[in-house]
Amino acid sequence: MCGIVAYIGPEKAGPILFDTLKRLEYRGYDSAGVAIRSDGEIQVLKSAGRIGDLEKVYVGMGMPGDTVGIGHTRWATHGKPSDKNAHPFISGDIAIVHNGIIENYLELRDLLTQAGFEFKSETDSEVLAHLIKMYYHGDLADAVTKAINRVEGSYAVAVVSASSPYLVCARKDSPLVLGIGKDANYVASDVAALLPYTRDIVRMKDGEIVLLYGSKEIEIRDLSGITQTFQTEKIDWNIDAAERGGYPHFMLKEIHEQPRALQETFAGRISEIDGDVQLDLGRTNEEIESLERVSIIACGTSYHAGLLGKYLIPRAAGLPVDVEVASEFQHIQLRPRTLVLGITQSGETADTMISLKKSKTCGVGRLAITNVVGSTVTGLVDGTIYTRCGPEIGVAATKTFTGQLAALFLLAIRLGRARNHLTPDQGRKMLVELTRLPGLVQSVLDKREEIRKVAEEYAGAGCYFFIGRDFLYPIALEGALKMKEIAYIPSEGYAGGELKHGPLALITEKTPVVAMATCGRKIQSNIKEVRARGADVIAFATEGDPDIDKVASTVIELPRTRPVYSAVLCTVGVQLLAYYTAAKLGLPIDKPRNLAKCVTVE
Ligand code: M6R
């Protein structure tokens, strides 16, 4: 996740910017940079790679600059990690750093190019620097306000000018906090960066523009220029807790980041008017029309995302799908009109990379869904759909999984529209409901206390079962994997209909069964089957379901949505269940034994 810092005060800005940037390193980044005012000019220093290396260059230059500056760590989403794509971006005497996604950047880029601005990067962020410059006539706050009123999307932005007595920052849908020092002001995307300097912070709200002066003075305005009141908050977290945003574990933080991550996955890709989706698939509509099959390869949690694709893509696009665990992939059987889709959050998993390489020999089209820009997988495929969830630090995949599901929803609709399997109206209806998903996920997160109590009640179980049917069968597998990975409880994930073909023998009154019950009524027969053997059933069900209370022992109600999208809501439910079980058992949730975040060996 990109990080922003800024400083204005009596001290030299450079050392403070580098120190605060290093405090954001834990979030992951691929490049870094600073812009510091120096003798009436803005000096920019930036590069791909480590902050420490950039700092050495700064020190080697004699630590130039005065007491105002901004800094950034970038985690690529538009344009690969490189020196030229690193922030800050400069336009004349203005420099900016930006987090978020400018959805209308292509349109703004055209406009600014016609106005004579020259672009040096592949990023969406650079348009902001030129847009602010275009509006700047001595009043930086006014220029930033005018610029962001032209922008669609999300932003946290800090802006410095050689000729302005103050720094400006602004936010919408991307976090930014102000630090109020003794006689200085600070900005950061994350409290963790500021703790050695101040514990008095102001959390910026969406639609606010802040002017920070080199004393304690700050002014907050809304987008129409009206001054706003604000409250200072005293932070008593230690640095470790601050890095986790106050959450006890990264996994819980990342579970809570899912509404935001889903918004990022959708940003700039959905056209409700056309009922279609814009994605880089590396092939024309004609080529998509001529496809005969999709073959998905992936491992672990990403494989479960792939399994959902097997239920989704045939219905949305009329294309048969097979899904294979990457280590078992038999490329020999591939036919030419197959699209091979590799799903991998890290983009580096050895089994998936090897299978994708083998598939090339069959002359098929290849596509990837990944979270990491520039990762190995992106070099092996014709097109990539980035999930844009930000880096995931907990070993157990959470927000990257729901990001993969979101990417699959977009892909299925794109394929369906390109193949005329979906009408514009059908596409539109699916997309309208899809855009509600971040808000619905938030409602599930708001039930965390209810889920925590259930998790704690069953934390002593020797074995768990997770069951689901149709779109929810992959989520049953994912729930079982989460419970195994972080709570170390043997857990089985089953298609509801399979229980009676063997696993029912394991069900006793000591086997809690988690039923994903938001999709169809047949699962209720399976719930009855296990209840008859004495098992307690925790059901994730749609609110207002008239029958579920009669069959399950505990019901956790989820908001109503299309059955396929309810897979995401059930996912959040099982993530929280596994998390609170592991927390009750006092286990090392972020780093489970024997597991690594990225498996780069076969
Ligand atoms: O980076 P990938 O998505 O390719 O990783 C695949 C699996 O190693 C990964 O999903 C693993 O199963 C996670 N620990 C699940 O939480």
Side-chain angles (χ1 to χ4, degrees):
M1 193 106 58
C2 303
I4 285 180
V5 296
Y7 172 79
I8 182 163
E11 313 266 334
K12 221 173 173 27
I16 295 173
L17 294 175
F18 280 107
D19 181 58
T20 46
L21 282 177
K22 282 192 222 158
R23 293 174 191 284
L24 296 180
E25 278 190 305
Y26 75 92
R27 296 155 62 107
Y29 67 102
D30 49 58
S31 56
V34 293
I36 307 171
R37 200 161 61 196
S38 183
D39 295 331
E41 290 185 352
I42 296 291
Q43 185 149 16
V44 172
L45 206 58
K46 60 180 187 174
S47 70
R50 312 304 300 166
I51 297 165
D53 294 336
L54 195 66
E55 188 180 22
K56 281 185 199 145
V57 175
Y58 169 73
V59 172
M61 291 165 71
M63 303 211 289
D66 59 30
T67 62
V68 186
I70 57 180
H72 194 263
T73 49
R74 175 171 188 255
W75 200 78
T77 54
H78 275 78
K80 59 183 178 303
S82 65
D83 292 355
K84 71 174 183 182
N85 288 339
H87 297 220
F89 292 107
I90 193 153
S91 185
D93 59 348
I94 283 173
I96 67 115
V97 289
H98 165 243
N99 288 352
I101 292 179
I102 312 284
E103 293 179 20
N104 57 339
Y105 88 101
L106 286 175
E107 171 199 319
L108 292 172
R109 201 175 160 118
D110 285 350
L111 180 144
L112 289 158
T113 306
Q114 280 165 26
F117 289 96
E118 196 190 325
F119 283 82
K120 299 204 166 88
S121 78
E122 302 154 346
T123 68
D124 55 335
S125 304
E126 195 180 357
V127 297
L128 259 183
H130 296 316
L131 205 53
I132 294 168
K133 177 65 186 167
M134 188 170 85
Y135 288 122
Y136 185 49
H137 305 292
D139 182 342
L140 190 59
D142 178 65
V144 173
T145 309
K146 286 188 173 132
I148 63 176
N149 274 319
R150 297 289 304 265
V151 158
E152 287 163 24
S154 59
Y155 52 80
V157 59
V159 188
V160 64
S161 156
S163 52
S164 170
Y166 54 82
L167 279 172
V168 180
C169 53
R171 74 153 271 177
K172 180 178 165 256
D173 291 334
S174 190
L176 211 51
V177 291
L178 313 174
I180 316 297
K182 208 155 152 259
D183 46 13
N185 286 310
Y186 305 81
V187 181
S189 41
D190 187 327
V191 174
L194 301 181
L195 290 188
Y197 299 93
T198 179
R199 288 179 172 268
D200 294 326
I201 67 138
V202 177
R203 293 182 193 277
M204 281 186 69
K205 300 194 195 90
D206 279 351
E208 286 183 340
I209 309 262
V210 183
L211 291 68
L212 299 106
Y213 293 86
S215 61
K216 277 191 81 147
E217 194 188 341
I218 64 172
E219 184 188 343
I220 302 190
R221 299 178 182 169
D222 68 10
L223 288 178
S224 7
I226 297 166
T227 303
Q228 305 291 300
T229 54
F230 59 89
Q231 284 197 322
T232 308
E233 186 185 328
K234 194 105 204 118
I235 298 289
D236 56 8
W237 302 334
N238 61 28
I239 288 183
D240 273 1
E243 287 185 348
R244 298 187 303 266
Y247 290 98
H249 298 97
F250 281 109
M251 181 180 174
L252 191 60
K253 177 172 183 259
E254 286 155 3
I255 288 173
H256 281 80
E257 284 171 351
Q258 290 177 111
R260 174 95 205 94
L262 289 169
Q263 276 169 359
E264 296 279 356
T265 313
F266 298 148
R269 288 169 164 167
I270 290 177
S271 167
E272 281 181 18
I273 296 170
D274 305 328
D276 206 344
V277 171
Q278 283 155 18
L279 292 174
D280 164 27
L281 303 186
R283 50 198 15 86
T284 61
N285 275 359
E286 290 68 38
E287 286 168 328
I288 294 173
E289 258 186 284
S290 68
L291 286 174
E292 286 175 0
R293 183 162 210 92
V294 177
S295 273
I296 301 180
I297 44 178
C299 304
T301 287
S302 298
Y303 168 73
H304 297 154
L307 281 179
L308 188 114
K310 180 175 165 180
Y311 290 86
L312 177 65
I313 293 171
R315 292 182 215 185
L319 267 173
V321 173
D322 54 71
V323 192
E324 201 71 74
V325 167
S327 54
E328 296 294 329
F329 184 59
Q330 301 293 316
H331 67 286
I332 311 295
Q333 294 159 8
L334 285 179
R335 295 159 62 100
R337 288 185 177 182
T338 301
L339 176 66
V340 174
L341 169 61
I343 306 181
T344 164
Q345 75 80 22
S346 63
E348 304 292 348
T349 300
D351 289 327
T352 310
M353 297 313 109
I354 289 161
S355 300
L356 273 171
K357 277 182 201 156
K358 283 183 189 159
S359 72
K360 189 175 184 186
T361 56
C362 309
V364 294
R366 291 177 304 158
L367 180 68
I369 294 178
T370 188
N371 195 38
V372 182
V373 174
S375 54
T376 302
V377 75
T378 62
L380 301 176
V381 292
D382 318 313
T384 301
I385 307 174
Y386 289 111
T387 47
R388 305 175 182 157
C389 299
E392 194 171 62
I393 295 171
V395 164
T398 52
K399 63 176 178 175
T400 56
F401 176 63
T402 47
Q404 289 167 348
L405 300 186
L408 282 163
F409 297 148
L410 295 176
L411 174 64
I413 295 171
R414 174 80 273 273
L415 295 176
R417 292 287 289 111
R419 294 167 59 78
N420 291 317
H421 196 81
L422 289 177
T423 64
D425 194 46
Q426 286 170 319
R428 199 171 301 125
K429 284 184 179 140
M430 290 167 83
L431 289 168
V432 166
E433 185 63 10
L434 192 58
T435 55
R436 289 181 64 229
L437 203 48
L440 302 182
V441 166
Q442 186 56 52
S443 336
V444 184
L445 293 170
D446 293 343
K447 290 182 173 266
R448 60 189 157 264
E449 272 308 294
E450 194 180 331
I451 299 173
R452 182 181 63 75
K453 285 187 189 134
V454 176
E456 292 184 355
E457 187 181 341
Y458 294 103
C463 169
Y464 247 107
F465 264 70
F466 289 77
I467 58 170
R469 302 181 80 115
D470 202 327
F471 299 119
L472 303 182
Y473 167 47
I475 312 307
L477 296 178
E478 176 61 8
L481 179 62
K482 287 283 101 66
M483 193 62 91
K484 283 182 264 215
E485 270 191 302
I486 61 162
Y488 306 158
I489 298 181
S491 299
E492 298 276 3
Y494 265 96
E498 270 293 288
L499 283 178
K500 54 188 168 301
H501 300 291
L504 215 42
L506 287 177
I507 301 287
T508 69
E509 66 283 356
K510 291 192 183 134
T511 323
V513 177
V514 181
M516 268 33 85
T518 55
C519 175
R521 312 204 70 75
K522 278 189 174 171
I523 193 76
Q524 295 190 3
S525 323
N526 307 125
I527 295 176
K528 286 180 196 156
E529 278 165 13
V530 295
R531 290 282 277 149
R533 274 81 186 171
D536 283 353
V537 173
I538 304 144
F540 288 101
T542 305
E543 60 196 1
D545 183 326
D547 302 320
I548 195 77
D549 280 335
K550 296 176 201 144
V551 288
S553 21
T554 303
V555 178
I556 297 165
E557 291 196 330
L558 306 178
R560 185 171 294 281
T561 182
R562 283 178 177 245
V564 62
Y565 300 153
S566 76
V568 175
L569 307 185
C570 288
T571 298
V572 178
V574 294
Q575 289 170 348
L576 287 169
L577 191 73
Y579 171 81
Y580 285 118
T581 306
K584 175 77 179 166
L585 297 172
L587 294 168
I589 292 175
D590 286 332
K591 290 187 179 146
R593 69 181 175 218
N594 307 337
L595 299 181
K597 184 70 189 162
C598 183
V599 185
T600 51
V601 287
E602 249 187 292

